[in-house]
Amino acid sequence: MQKGEAAKELCTMLGGDMVSTDAGLIARHCQDWHGDITSSAIALLRPRSTEDVSRAVRACAKLGLGVVPQGGRSGLALGAVPDAPESQVVLSLERMDRVRSLSAQDFTAVVEAGVVLESFKEEVAEAGLYFPLALGAQGTCQIGGNVSTNAGGVNVLRYGMTRELVLGLEVVLPDGRVLDRLSRLRKDNRGIDLKQLFIGAEGVLGIVTAVSFKLMPAPDQVSTALLALDSLEGAIELYRLARRQCCDLMSAFEFLPAEAFTLAREGIPDLSLPLEPAHRAYALVELSGSGLVDIEALLSQFLELAMEEGLVRDGVVAQSKAQARNIWLVREGMNEGQARRGKHLRTDLSVPLSELAAFVAEAEAAVGEALPGAVCVSYGHVGDGNVHLNVLPDPEGMEALDQQIFRAKTVLNGVLDRYDGSISAEHGVGRLKKADFAARASSVQHDLLGRIKRAIDPNLTMNPGCLIDLES
Amino acid sequence: MQKGEAAKELCTMLGGDMVSTDAGLIARHCQDWHGDITSSAIALLRPRSTEDVSRAVRACAKLGLGVVPQGGRSGLALGAVPDAPESQVVLSLERMDRVRSLSAQDFTAVVEAGVVLESFKEEVAEAGLYFPLALGAQGTCQIGGNVSTNAGGVNVLRYGMTRELVLGLEVVLPDGRVLDRLSRLRKDNRGIDLKQLFIGAEGVLGIVTAVSFKLMPAPDQVSTALLALDSLEGAIELYRLARRQCCDLMSAFEFLPAEAFTLAREGIPDLSLPLEPAHRAYALVELSGSGLVDIEALLSQFLELAMEEGLVRDGVVAQSKAQARNIWLVREGMNEGQARRGKHLRTDLSVPLSELAAFVAEAEAAVGEALPGAVCVSYGHVGDGNVHLNVLPDPEGMEALDQQIFRAKTVLNGVLDRYDGSISAEHGVGRLKKADFAARASSVQHDLLGRIKRAIDPNLTMNPGCLIDLES
């Protein structure tokens, strides 16, 4: 079938409200934050209900079209960007944007896939509760995407990945049937836990349309510090100390490199720097809690101890929400600053905690050798062994930027393989890392993935091209 | 093939060290803590290594035998008890009992399936760390069984079910291949998370041979209190208060009924009662932590607040480890006391927290109406909405015990269905609850389970008869 014909057919079957063929609109829906790809699709489908999604999926199955489910398009791995414009439609969940229920009595909420994370967090906060998922993209990303990518973020060390927050799912399967498991139960051990299959599956097994989540008591006390350290090794030692001394009350522990302030200023020129920019490394530590625990006292006792042990050179503790926000802006501005330096390699790697410092040193040295003019920027979630080791290529270099980026990636992955690390600690595989993922998967792993995919999506119509390639 | 022939064949293929046909030994391996069933098997296989397990599974596949994987046999749902003695072998993991590695630097351990939970906890404690899974059966149950049943226990409200503690698995698949994913990474988002399939799958998809776990800092401060309350409603209100006021430092919150002390004394005759046995309900509250947090002060401030709010009638705070142990003995003795009353219905139900009290009241009333002489004993993990609503049948009743138990179960499940609860919050489905599970699974759920089972175990040889029945 021709592209135009298929679009027309979809309009007839699903109605003009659901189906858009507006070229500009489709173009906007054919990219993510990775940004380097522009693509296209037969149509953009925007269902308003689970029933709509089911109808859409059935229609596409009938027409033999691939369906690319899509949230806020803040992904970094092209998981929601179509790669076969002649045979794929984009299905955006953005119109399914209702919080269906929220219970302060049960500490639970049921929320549709298209709800923007930040607005969900706000609604939860209004009810005196807390949803801990916290990402740079939270003003844009949507709940369905968070679940389908098993999103991580800065609070994982305390609250786990998105997976650990999910109590139940509603999923439209590749044949249009609905798996309705929006459980509000905190404990349910009946048989194989089907929802686990769809969490982090990047839409290749079905479309998450709604989610039930656990919620936490709102942390009414939050204390944030930015500390100057000697090195990443020092940050890891400090993390271990904090893990024991502050127990389960630590909600973030981020490592920032020496270049953090420079990059943050490039990203946010009027940023006021919380510390002298003269140190080799920094750690952003956040403790939080509610009720009778005294978070401020805990942080100050911890810092005293850390000073005594010689782990901290200098530091500042936020005295207000505005000051805490300013500290976090260093972290966020650093991302923005890297973006302003132009096209670069963004990675999202993990190794065991005890090998993090050695890995970063070896990887940065290897990149330095291969690309002498490039700049490595390593930062991340120390407690999770998760480092964003980004490489800013040399704009004056002999090689084109894309070539430098490809070479940097190859070098990094080579070092990472020796550490038995992960090429994707949180961003997912998508289309961007599919080949690198396949090259590292064992034959057993690959076979099992294929079996599961075929068992649930025998016609291979759900998000084709993402995550794994199978022959139909 | 005859049973004797098959056993002989296995001996030839696998050697006498691995294969036992000793009738007494086999009989001991053909029951679990549910206890009411005696069964048999062709042989007992006791592999010493992953390679052994793989060889055993291949041999059984060749002979067309079903394999029933088995841990410490402390299950309560007959998940590890063969049900077709002529065509099944029991494969016990008990000889795979090594802790392969333990890293205090990484807060991780890799442990084989046959390690007894308690001895693993002890080994972890010696390294200054903590493995939070805590069950009544911990002196008997094994790690592989904990993972295959996704075991719960008293610390779930803080640390999650076993699933949330697993970083990676090694699994022997139904065709003998090994899925080797013993990751020590805390964050790894590469593709569909295959390990999730095997956690809680009760051995129907493969045999878990080793597990990598996250560990926690050892809680060097633990404070335990037993509180006298007015009702289950009061306990739930108290839990909500504790959740906010004690933040993430609460490690257990158990509800005990009025009969707790009577039953505990029947179970442990010389038990010294921590409180006057004159109250309508009790809560066992435990806070714990390490380092700079002051757990004792937190508990006493919390209790003051709870008293002020009129939620607590009386209470005792353990002043020593021995006193804390004595408080926990009330909980454990209660189980023992029920066992001494003879055959009874043990359940393991969950509903949303806000409906827990109403559910228990309605269910107890319904049982009382159907079986006037029976005694209901309801206790459990309040924070998880998980209640063990047990029914002790009337020994003088008109109906036989088994009939009373069956009727009580039917009545309870009927009430539970109106609350959209789970018939198995933690014990699993096994063979015992298979029919009740099937009756409550939607056709979509049933279809998906079947597809997954067939995709991974096409010959249906892994733990046949457990969890789901499919036609071969």
Side-chain angles (χ1 to χ4, degrees):
Chain A
M1 203 183 322
Q2 291 291 307
K3 195 171 162 176
E5 266 179 71
K8 223 163 133 187
E9 195 69 35
L10 280 171
C11 273
T12 312
M13 293 166 86
L14 300 172
D17 179 60
M18 206 197 305
V19 183
S20 171
T21 54
D22 180 294
L25 192 59
I26 290 177
R28 282 203 295 285
H29 279 267
C30 286
Q31 51 189 326
D32 69 6
W33 281 13
H34 175 68
D36 293 346
I37 301 289
T38 44
S39 182
S40 183
I42 290 174
L44 169 67
L45 308 184
R46 287 183 295 173
R48 295 182 186 274
S49 65
T50 308
E51 176 53 33
D52 277 357
V53 175
S54 172
R55 282 171 53 225
V57 166
R58 282 181 213 270
C60 292
K62 204 164 168 184
L63 300 174
L65 303 176
V67 179
V68 179
Q70 189 175 83
R73 304 192 297 285
S74 56
L76 293 162
L78 303 172
V81 176
D83 56 10
E86 305 296 318
S87 63
Q88 293 175 350
V89 303
V90 171
L91 189 148
S92 166
L93 280 301
E94 65 194 337
R95 285 174 171 173
M96 288 191 67
D97 61 355
R98 274 189 324 130
V99 175
R100 290 192 191 161
S101 68
L102 201 163
S103 165
Q105 296 295 302
D106 283 331
F107 295 95
T108 58
V110 176
V111 52
E112 291 183 345
V115 172
V116 171
L117 174 57
E118 194 161 75
S119 66
F120 177 53
K121 286 170 74 85
E122 284 165 8
E123 196 160 333
V124 169
E126 275 164 33
L129 294 167
Y130 180 61
F131 184 63
L133 186 63
L135 307 170
Q138 66 191 33
T140 308
C141 65
Q142 296 169 12
I143 292 298
N146 297 148
V147 170
S148 293
T149 58
N150 186 29
V154 295
N155 290 339
V156 169
L157 84 174
R158 177 150 165 190
Y159 300 102
M161 304 284 278
T162 301
R163 183 184 303 279
E164 291 175 47
L165 305 170
V166 174
L167 293 175
L169 292 182
E170 180 187 86
V171 181
V172 173
L173 298 172
D175 57 11
R177 289 180 304 165
V178 180
L179 177 69
D180 178 8
R181 304 281 293 150
L182 284 173
S183 174
R184 290 178 303 141
L185 304 174
R186 298 188 91 81
K187 250 170 145 181
D188 186 5
N189 238 353
R190 281 177 291 178
I192 295 164
D193 191 4
L194 291 171
K195 69 173 176 289
Q196 303 297 341
L197 264 179
F198 300 95
I199 300 171
E202 303 187 12
V204 306
L205 300 179
I207 301 176
V208 172
T209 49
V211 187
S212 57
F213 282 119
K214 327 179 185 170
L215 303 175
M216 319 295 165
D220 45 30
Q221 303 171 50
V222 180
S223 287
T224 312
L226 188 67
L227 309 173
L229 314 174
D230 282 337
S231 61
L232 175 53
E233 286 88 334
I236 293 169
E237 218 175 311
L238 186 68
Y239 164 76
R240 289 203 187 103
L241 187 71
R243 184 73 186 88
R244 283 183 193 273
Q245 296 298 331
C246 306
C247 202
D248 293 356
L249 300 174
M250 177 163 59
S251 42
F253 191 111
E254 298 287 301
F255 168 74
L256 309 177
E259 311 77 24
F261 288 174
T262 312
L263 285 163
R265 269 276 172 80
E266 288 178 26
I268 308 172
D270 58 353
L271 181 71
S272 80
L273 298 182
L275 281 179
E276 284 299 306
H279 298 278
R280 272 174 281 175
Y282 303 89
L284 194 170
V285 181
E286 186 190 87
L287 307 184
S288 58
S290 61
L292 296 164
V293 297
D294 186 343
I295 294 297
E296 201 181 321
L298 181 62
L299 182 61
S300 92
Q301 286 170 48
F302 167 66
L303 291 180
E304 210 171 293
L305 199 67
M307 296 281 200
E308 272 170 32
E309 303 218 351
L311 291 168
V312 174
R313 291 281 155 250
D314 192 7
V316 57
V317 175
Q319 300 301 320
S320 66
K321 277 190 184 174
Q323 283 183 17
R325 180 80 198 113
N326 186 58
I327 287 176
W328 278 105
L329 278 179
V330 176
R331 171 75 164 81
E332 289 162 30
M334 214 178 64
N335 277 349
E336 187 55 33
Q338 291 173 79
R340 297 211 180 171
R341 296 243 183 131
K343 224 171 182 178
H344 61 278
L345 175 66
R346 301 178 72 152
T347 72
D348 167 38
L349 315 172
S350 64
V351 294
L353 182 58
S354 61
E355 293 167 25
L356 185 60
F359 164 70
V360 170
E362 189 178 336
E364 288 192 350
V367 171
E369 197 167 314
L371 296 163
V375 176
C376 289
V377 183
S378 299
Y379 59 104
H381 318 300
V382 167
D384 311 317
N386 178 191
V387 58
H388 300 297
L389 201 170
N390 295 350
V391 182
L392 315 179
D394 180 3
E396 318 286 308
M398 299 279 285
E399 284 179 312
L401 294 187
D402 280 338
Q403 268 179 301
Q404 290 187 50
I405 288 172
F406 182 79
R407 201 129 70 88
K409 188 195 76 169
T410 308
V411 168
L412 273 184
N413 285 351
V415 178
L416 186 69
D417 290 341
R418 289 200 291 283
Y419 285 82
D420 209 12
S422 171
I423 57 164
S424 177
E426 48 181 24
H427 295 168
V429 171
R431 290 167 177 82
L432 187 66
K433 297 185 187 169
K434 188 169 52 172
D436 288 329
F437 168 58
R440 283 160 185 80
S442 70
S443 65
V444 175
Q445 213 184 328
H446 198 269
D447 173 68
L448 279 179
L449 287 174
R451 285 173 187 239
I452 290 162
K453 169 75 173 169
R454 285 183 198 281
I456 298 178
D457 181 22
N459 299 320
L460 309 180
T461 54
M462 287 307 310
N463 210 1
C466 182
L467 198 53
I468 29 172
D469 281 326
L470 295 172
E471 298 200 1
S472 56
Chain B
M1 202 183 324
Q2 290 291 306
K3 197 172 161 176
E5 266 179 71
K8 222 162 134 187
E9 195 69 37
L10 282 170
C11 272
T12 313
M13 293 166 86
L14 300 171
D17 179 59
M18 205 197 303
V19 183
S20 171
T21 54
D22 179 294
L25 193 60
I26 290 177
R28 284 203 293 285
H29 279 268
C30 285
Q31 51 188 327
D32 69 5
W33 282 13
H34 174 66
D36 293 346
I37 301 288
T38 44
S39 181
S40 184
I42 290 174
L44 169 67
L45 308 184
R46 288 182 295 174
R48 294 182 185 275
S49 66
T50 308
E51 175 54 31
D52 277 357
V53 176
S54 171
R55 281 171 54 226
V57 165
R58 281 181 214 268
C60 292
K62 207 165 167 184
L63 299 174
L65 304 177
V67 179
V68 178
Q70 189 176 83
R73 304 191 299 284
S74 57
L76 292 162
L78 303 172
V81 176
D83 56 10
E86 304 297 318
S87 63
Q88 293 174 351
V89 302
V90 171
L91 189 149
S92 166
L93 279 303
E94 64 194 336
R95 285 174 172 173
M96 288 191 66
D97 60 355
R98 274 189 325 127
V99 175
R100 290 191 191 162
S101 67
L102 202 162
S103 166
Q105 297 294 300
D106 282 331
F107 296 95
T108 58
V110 176
V111 52
E112 290 183 345
V115 172
V116 171
L117 173 57
E118 196 160 72
S119 66
F120 177 53
K121 286 170 73 86
E122 284 165 8
E123 197 160 333
V124 168
E126 275 164 34
L129 293 166
Y130 180 61
F131 183 64
L133 185 62
L135 306 170
Q138 67 191 33
T140 308
C141 65
Q142 296 169 12
I143 292 300
N146 297 148
V147 169
S148 293
T149 58
N150 186 28
V154 295
N155 290 340
V156 170
L157 82 174
R158 176 147 166 194
Y159 300 101
M161 304 284 279
T162 301
R163 184 185 302 279
E164 291 176 47
L165 305 171
V166 175
L167 292 175
L169 292 183
E170 179 187 88
V171 182
V172 173
L173 298 172
D175 57 11
R177 289 179 304 166
V178 180
L179 177 69
D180 178 8
R181 302 281 293 150
L182 284 173
S183 173
R184 290 177 301 141
L185 303 174
R186 299 188 90 80
K187 251 169 144 179
D188 186 6
N189 239 352
R190 281 176 291 177
I192 295 164
D193 190 3
L194 291 172
K195 70 173 176 287
Q196 303 297 342
L197 263 179
F198 300 95
I199 300 171
E202 304 188 13
V204 307
L205 300 179
I207 301 176
V208 172
T209 49
V211 187
S212 57
F213 282 119
K214 329 181 185 167
L215 303 175
M216 319 294 165
D220 45 29
Q221 303 171 50
V222 181
S223 287
T224 312
L226 187 68
L227 308 173
L229 315 172
D230 283 338
S231 63
L232 175 53
E233 286 88 335
I236 294 168
E237 218 176 310
L238 186 68
Y239 165 76
R240 289 201 188 104
L241 187 70
R243 186 75 186 88
R244 283 184 194 273
Q245 295 299 332
C246 306
C247 201
D248 293 355
L249 299 175
M250 177 163 58
S251 42
F253 191 110
E254 297 287 302
F255 168 73
L256 308 178
E259 310 77 24
F261 288 175
T262 312
L263 285 163
R265 269 278 173 81
E266 289 177 27
I268 307 172
D270 59 351
L271 181 72
S272 79
L273 298 182
L275 280 179
E276 284 299 306
H279 297 278
R280 273 175 280 176
Y282 303 89
L284 195 171
V285 181
E286 185 190 87
L287 309 184
S288 58
S290 61
L292 296 164
V293 296
D294 186 342
I295 294 297
E296 201 182 321
L298 181 62
L299 182 61
S300 91
Q301 285 169 50
F302 167 65
L303 291 180
E304 209 172 297
L305 199 66
M307 295 281 200
E308 271 170 34
E309 302 218 353
L311 290 169
V312 175
R313 290 283 154 247
D314 192 7
V316 56
V317 176
Q319 300 301 320
S320 66
K321 276 191 186 173
Q323 284 183 16
R325 180 77 197 116
N326 186 59
I327 288 176
W328 278 104
L329 277 180
V330 177
R331 171 76 163 82
E332 289 163 30
M334 214 178 64
N335 277 349
E336 187 56 32
Q338 291 172 78
R340 296 210 181 175
R341 295 241 185 137
K343 224 171 182 179
H344 61 279
L345 176 67
R346 302 178 72 150
T347 72
D348 168 37
L349 315 172
S350 65
V351 295
L353 183 58
S354 62
E355 292 167 26
L356 185 60
F359 164 69
V360 170
E362 189 178 334
E364 288 192 350
V367 171
E369 197 168 315
L371 295 163
V375 176
C376 288
V377 183
S378 300
Y379 59 104
H381 318 300
V382 167
D384 311 316
N386 177 191
V387 58
H388 301 298
L389 200 169
N390 294 350
V391 182
L392 315 179
D394 181 1
E396 318 286 309
M398 300 279 285
E399 285 179 311
L401 294 186
D402 280 340
Q403 268 179 299
Q404 291 186 52
I405 288 173
F406 182 79
R407 203 130 69 87
K409 189 196 74 172
T410 310
V411 168
L412 273 183
N413 285 353
V415 178
L416 186 69
D417 290 343
R418 289 200 290 281
Y419 284 83
D420 210 12
S422 170
I423 57 164
S424 178
E426 46 180 28
H427 296 168
V429 171
R431 289 166 177 84
L432 186 68
K433 297 185 186 168
K434 186 170 55 173
D436 288 329
F437 168 58
R440 284 159 182 82
S442 70
S443 64
V444 175
Q445 213 184 328
H446 198 269
D447 172 68
L448 279 179
L449 287 175
R451 284 172 188 239
I452 290 161
K453 169 74 174 170
R454 285 183 199 282
I456 298 177
D457 181 22
N459 300 318
L460 309 179
T461 55
M462 286 310 308
N463 210 1
C466 182
L467 200 52
I468 27 172
D469 283 325
L470 294 171
E471 301 203 357
S472 56

